[in-house]
Amino acid sequence: VQLVESGGGLVQAGGSLRLSCAVSGFAVANYAISWFRQAPGKEREGVSCISASGSVKWYEDPVKGRFTISRDEAKNAVYLQMNSLKPDDTAVYYCAAIRQEWIVGCTTDDHYGLEYWGKGTPVTVSS
């Protein structure tokens, strides 16, 4: 099983990035996928998640209205479109997964017991 994030980089405030989480070893249709981030010197925090069915999407308040989570079952990938980026969005972004049998909907709580994690992709937003 592998989750590989990509798409991070350096962007100016107000800009956009699209992060990808490429999954191998299981079908994204059978797992809830979550995005987390960890800024320098801060604890990891949840950002957004999508349920295995795709019908439930959740966004934490700091990103609500600016970020959009989506997935492509054919490509077995999950995406995080990030618009109107702010310097406070600077962090390493991680995707994580938990099988649908173990959760109702999805979670942005990293204490929930997510099964698989990627290694992260860094995002830097300059002011």
Side-chain angles (χ1 to χ4, degrees):
V1 171
Q2 266 195 316
L3 281 70
V4 180
E5 303 92 338
S6 63
L10 173 64
V11 64
Q12 288 189 331
S16 298
L17 285 173
R18 188 176 86 147
L19 304 184
S20 299
C21 174
V23 174
S24 60
F26 64 81
V28 294
N30 296 328
Y31 279 70
I33 306 293
S34 306
W35 284 97
F36 294 84
R37 67 186 182 184
Q38 187 166 20
K42 294 187 177 180
E43 292 188 354
R44 187 168 58 195
E45 64 177 359
V47 175
S48 179
C49 64
I50 184 169
S51 64
S53 68
S55 63
V56 176
K57 298 179 182 180
W58 177 260
Y59 302 93
E60 292 296 331
D61 284 345
V63 308
K64 203 170 289 185
R66 301 187 297 122
F67 291 11
T68 303
I69 193 169
S70 63
R71 72 179 188 191
D72 185 331
E73 292 183 30
K75 295 183 177 180
N76 214 38
V78 174
Y79 305 99
L80 187 68
Q81 178 66 44
M82 307 189 298
N83 298 330
S84 303
L85 283 161
K86 306 174 181 179
D88 284 350
D89 295 318
T90 295
V92 177
Y93 285 72
Y94 302 88
C95 59
I98 184 169
R99 67 190 68 191
Q100 59 182 345
E101 292 85 358
W102 292 359
I103 191 169
V104 175
C106 64
T107 183
T108 53
D109 179 358
D110 63 355
H111 296 99
Y112 197 91
L114 290 139
E115 295 181 71
Y116 305 112
W117 289 81
K119 294 183 178 181
T121 185
V123 171
T124 302
V125 184
S126 64
S127 56

